[in-house]
Amino acid sequence: MTRAAAPLMLEPGQRELLESLAKSRTAEHRLVQRARVLLHAADGMANAEIGALAGVTRMTVRAWRSEFAERGLADL
């Protein structure tokens, strides 16, 4: 079993925005994918598991988690 990273901490309102993006049929695919990754990270799922579900590498998940920790949703 893969050890999970600490759950990503979301500010009030961020989960709702990420959920909306994750369900979007009109947003750019990469944006939808990133929103799903961040939601899984907030739920405490391991980076390797998130990557497998999202179709990205574990390193990409780590990078997106780091970017979110530094800048929040500003890049979205």
Side-chain angles (χ1 to χ4, degrees):
M1 182 104 191
T2 306
R3 193 179 102 232
L8 193 64
M9 300 306 293
L10 299 177
E11 298 291 327
Q14 289 180 325
R15 178 170 288 276
E16 291 81 13
L17 178 60
L18 289 172
E19 287 173 346
S20 176
L21 287 170
K23 294 175 188 174
S24 177
R25 293 186 174 267
T26 57
E28 184 180 324
H29 172 72
R30 193 74 164 171
L31 181 62
V32 171
Q33 191 176 39
R34 187 179 289 216
R36 289 178 181 160
V37 164
L38 294 174
L39 285 169
H40 289 310
D43 291 339
M45 190 178 286
N47 291 343
E49 292 176 86
I50 296 170
L53 282 173
V56 298
T57 67
R58 180 176 46 100
M59 297 304 290
T60 298
V61 174
R62 288 175 60 188
W64 287 352
R65 286 175 66 113
S66 290
E67 288 175 20
F68 178 81
E70 289 177 19
R71 295 188 286 265
L73 293 175
D75 292 341
L76 297 178

